[in-house]
Amino acid sequence: MGDGGNFSESTWHGGFYELAIEVGPRDDARLQRALTAVWSAADVQGCYGDTRRAPGQQESVGCTVESLTEFGHVLGQVRLPTGQIVACGCMTIREEGDDPVDWLDFYLPIGALDEAGFDIERPQSYRSPVLDDWLAAIGTAVFRAVDFHAAFIGFETSGCSDAATLGGELPESRRIGYLLPVAGELRYGPANDGS
């Protein structure tokens, strides 16, 4: 078993297990609150900008919207509920258009999970109830800081849906996890469809 917290080339391969948050209308201050809340709720250690160098071999960067813009992401290390330490990161998608929306994507690379020996169901679903519940708890903490529109949990969930498509309703059959505000309360709909 390797070190899933290291930033080796293989760390970043295989896709990402994600908490993709539709933060809301484009707003630097709102996006910063969401990023700060994710880093705090997940207890991420460090903040770096270079995937090619180990944390101990690079200078820290600010955990800021400016760093997200400059580096395309911010990176750190996080302890999973099972005890393994793995690399993690955040990136943002800032939509353009008449009603631009900010997204914040907190991710765990599949390569890092593999290197740490974390057991994840695959190949079709890449599902982990342990990670789903942990990411849902992080999302719930973020919602206390920023009342986001929706969030999606699982393998490569970024862009899979949005709050407008959901129309305030959790799907009955869910291949991924959903966090959706309903009447001011955040509801968690865990994945329940194994197909």
Side-chain angles (χ1 to χ4, degrees), residues 11 43 45 47 50 56 63 66-67 71 110 117-118 126 147 155 168 176-177 190:
T11 297
D43 195 22
Q45 300 304 302
C47 190
D50 190 346
C63 187
E66 290 78 17
S67 292
F71 299 104
I110 296 298
F118 185 84
Y126 281 99
D147 57 342
F155 179 70
I176 61 171

Side-chain angles (χ1 to χ4, degrees), residues 56-165:
Q57 298 173 342
Q58 62 178 302
E59 294 292 320
S60 294
V61 301
C63 187
T64 63
V65 172
E66 290 78 17
S67 292
L68 285 172
T69 302
E70 180 178 349
F71 299 104
H73 51 230
V74 288
L75 312 166
Q77 297 171 306
V78 68
R79 184 177 300 278
L80 300 178
T82 52
Q84 295 103 324
I85 295 174
V86 298
C88 64
C90 263
M91 63 173 288
T92 186
I93 296 115
R94 307 198 81 180
E95 294 179 353
E96 301 291 336
D98 293 337
D99 294 310
V101 171
D102 282 337
W103 287 80
L104 186 67
D105 189 21
F106 176 62
Y107 59 85
L108 306 168
I110 296 298
L113 295 170
D114 284 342
E115 288 172 0
F118 185 84
D119 188 26
I120 193 166
E121 295 175 27
R122 54 178 114 209
Q124 292 109 340
S125 64
Y126 281 99
R127 184 169 295 160
S128 168
V130 169
L131 289 183
D132 289 355
D133 291 347
W134 179 66
L135 291 170
I138 292 168
T140 300
V142 172
F143 188 72
R144 288 192 288 271
V146 179
D147 57 342
F148 57 74
H149 291 186
F152 308 93
I153 299 168
F155 179 70
E156 300 283 341
T157 59
S158 184
C160 70
S161 189
D162 59 32
T165 301

